[in-house]
């Protein structure tokens, strides 16, 4: 969406077309959030923001009451009016602006441009900041904050050509927003596509303070364990398939040779990225499912039929998923069946 006609600051109320605070506004007692370490000034509409969520209502309640009374003369026995600034040093300025934009312009998909990224839309790390703010201020169910569309756009961007770091940000965002299905699916994507390529998963947690606060440490323990387990299960399956020479009609000779080649290339080295091992196995399993059934009369009667490897690989991936309960509960008391379907 084109942001060229949008105000450079969020409007003070939905009815206003310009958002910057003038000196007259400031002197009349307009409320300002001082956001982030740099204390960036963001003007707010007290009445509208209080209606957005219970957290904002509690934060702004004293100011709303104070603004309902006339200002007292100096020396009056009444209490002085409250300061017209609220410091939010732990919040992100971009996230707060985006939220206030959405509340000020209901029904519009608005992502403010940033100096670093003047094009419309936010980066994945900015979406993580948004997710943290949306959870903090309990805006998940506010229809005027269209975060599901923001999330969908971020996921499409990363799945098309994203990095491991961006995938980590999405997993953390899914956790913050309580998106169980996406949390499990994105965690599996991170595991399958980037295991063995990005080095230790813990480095994403160690050098990113936002990720440290947004994603439980238990997740990093689980993803390392499950990636190693998935890697081993795929290698074992490839090896067993390469050694399966019990076909009576001899129709599996060429297929066996292909599985042996995959094992020789990927099965001996533990450091081979899971994405390469799994990709080679899935490709051969697909070919086997499509061709061997027609060429080999024995296959339908064997324990491992023509589609068996393909089905087993899908099963392995389902069982490797990390669900919300996996992170919240002791893994020893959490069954594989539960981890698959949450």
């Amino acid at each position: 969406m084109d942001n060229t006609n949008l105000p450079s600051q969020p409007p003070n109320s939905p009815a206003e077309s310009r958002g910057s605070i003038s000196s007259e506004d400031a002197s009349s007692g307009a409320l300002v959030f001082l956001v982030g370490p740099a204390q960036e000034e963001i003007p707010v509409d007290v009445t509208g923001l209080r209606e957005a969520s219970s957290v904002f209502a509690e934060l702004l309640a004293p100011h709303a009451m104070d603004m309902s009374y006339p200002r007292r003369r100096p020396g009056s026995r009444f209490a002085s009016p409250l300061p017209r600034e609220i410091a939010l040093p732990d919040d992100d300025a971009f996230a707060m602006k985006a939220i206030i934009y959405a509340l000020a312009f209901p029904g519009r998909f608005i992502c403010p441009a940033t100096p670093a990224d003047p094009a419309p839309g936010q980066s994945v790390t900015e979406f993580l900041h948004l997710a943290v703010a949306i959870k903090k201020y309990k805006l998940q169910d506010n229809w005027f904050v269209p975060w599901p569309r923001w999330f969908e756009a971020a996921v499409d961007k990363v799945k098309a050509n994203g990095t491991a770091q961006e995938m980590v940000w999405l997993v953390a965002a899914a956790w913050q927003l309580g998106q169980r299905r996406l949390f499990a699916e994105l965690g599996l994507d991170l595991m399958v596509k980037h295991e063995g390529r990005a080095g230790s998963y813990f480095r994403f947690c160690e050098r990113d303070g936002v990720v440290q606060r947004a994603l439980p440490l238990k997740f990093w323990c689980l993803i390392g364990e499950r990636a190693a387990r998935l890697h081993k299960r795929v290698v074992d399956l490839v090896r067993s398939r390469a050694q399966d020479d019990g076909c009576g009609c001899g129709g599996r000779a060429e297929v066996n040779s292909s599985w042996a080649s995959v094992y020789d290339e990927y099965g001996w080295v533990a450091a081979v990225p899971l994405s390469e091992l799994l990709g080679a196995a899935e490709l051969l399993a697909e070919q086997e499912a499509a061709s061997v059934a027609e060429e080999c009369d024995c296959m339908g009667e064997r324990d491992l039929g023509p589609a068996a490897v393909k089905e087993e690989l899908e099963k392995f991936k389902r069982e490797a998923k990390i669900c919300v309960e996996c992170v919240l509960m002791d893994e020893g008391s959490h069954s594989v069946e539960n981890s698959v379907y949450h």
Side-chain angles (χ1 to χ4, degrees):
M1 184 174 190
D2 187 4
N3 292 326
T4 55
N5 295 323
L6 296 179
S8 59
Q9 292 287 336
N12 202 36
S13 70
E16 293 177 355
S17 60
R18 289 187 297 271
S20 58
I21 289 185
S22 66
S23 58
E24 293 180 1
D25 292 330
S27 63
S28 65
L31 186 64
V32 176
F33 284 163
L34 302 178
V35 183
Q39 294 193 320
E40 184 168 347
E41 295 186 3
I42 301 178
V44 298
D45 169 27
V46 173
T47 302
L49 208 54
R50 285 187 68 207
E51 296 175 355
S53 77
S54 59
V55 179
F56 277 131
E58 183 177 352
L59 175 68
L60 298 173
H63 295 267
M65 183 177 296
D66 182 62
M67 292 174 70
S68 66
Y69 292 96
R71 289 187 174 274
R72 309 302 183 184
R73 293 189 301 273
S76 168
R77 64 187 179 89
F78 295 101
S80 300
L82 293 173
R84 306 270 43 96
E85 299 172 343
I86 297 179
L88 302 173
D90 297 329
D91 289 343
D92 178 76
F94 177 89
M96 190 61 70
K97 284 182 181 180
I99 287 171
I100 293 177
Y101 263 115
L103 294 172
F105 296 98
R108 294 177 61 183
F109 183 81
I110 297 173
C111 299
T114 64
D117 181 16
Q122 73 278 339
S123 69
V124 182
T125 181
E126 286 168 338
F127 180 77
L128 175 56
H129 285 290
L130 274 167
V132 171
I134 287 168
K135 179 183 179 182
K136 176 179 178 179
Y137 292 104
K138 296 185 178 179
L139 294 165
Q140 293 98 319
D141 298 325
N142 190 301
W143 288 3
F144 298 129
V145 181
W147 64 263
R149 282 186 286 175
W150 291 340
F151 204 175
E152 182 181 356
V155 169
D156 290 344
K157 176 182 178 180
V158 172
K159 284 195 172 184
N161 189 25
T163 65
Q165 180 67 75
E166 288 176 323
M167 189 65 74
V168 168
W169 288 329
L170 285 184
V171 173
W175 175 266
Q176 287 291 302
L177 294 169
Q179 297 299 291
R180 292 170 177 262
R181 180 183 60 81
L182 273 175
F183 177 73
E185 291 178 356
L186 292 169
L188 181 63
D189 283 346
L190 174 63
M191 186 189 309
V192 168
K193 295 179 181 179
H194 300 288
E195 185 272 337
R197 293 183 180 276
S200 171
Y201 288 115
F202 280 101
R203 72 185 182 91
F204 295 113
C205 178
E206 292 170 348
R207 67 186 188 184
D208 193 322
V210 179
V211 172
Q212 286 181 13
R213 297 189 296 272
L215 201 55
L217 181 62
K218 178 70 175 292
F219 172 80
W220 301 108
C221 300
L222 286 174
I223 194 171
E225 293 172 4
R226 297 205 181 181
R229 184 190 309 166
L230 178 58
H231 195 287
K232 182 180 185 302
R233 295 181 80 179
V234 175
V235 169
D236 289 346
L237 184 61
V238 170
R239 181 175 59 248
S240 68
R241 204 57 165 172
Q243 295 171 347
D244 182 9
D245 58 355
C247 179
C249 67
R252 275 190 48 82
E254 183 177 347
V255 176
N256 280 32
S257 177
S258 298
W259 283 112
S261 296
V262 170
Y263 182 72
D264 289 343
E265 184 172 357
Y266 300 105
W268 292 96
V269 184
V272 170
L274 179 58
S275 59
E276 296 181 12
L277 168 65
L278 193 56
E282 287 179 326
L283 178 61
L284 190 52
E286 189 73 34
Q287 294 172 353
E288 182 177 85
S291 63
V292 174
E294 300 177 358
E295 300 171 1
C296 177
D297 296 332
C298 305
M299 285 299 296
E301 303 174 2
R302 299 178 60 77
D303 292 337
L304 290 177
V309 176
K310 181 179 177 181
E311 294 168 359
E312 282 291 287
L313 292 173
E314 290 301 316
K315 175 186 174 184
F316 292 168
K317 289 193 291 184
R318 288 197 307 271
E319 293 180 351
K321 285 184 178 180
I322 301 173
C323 66
V324 170
E325 282 73 13
C326 295
V327 179
L328 294 177
M329 297 172 61
D330 219 2
E331 189 170 15
S333 62
H334 191 64
S335 66
V336 171
E337 289 77 16
N338 285 337
S339 70
V340 171
Y341 295 108
H342 280 296

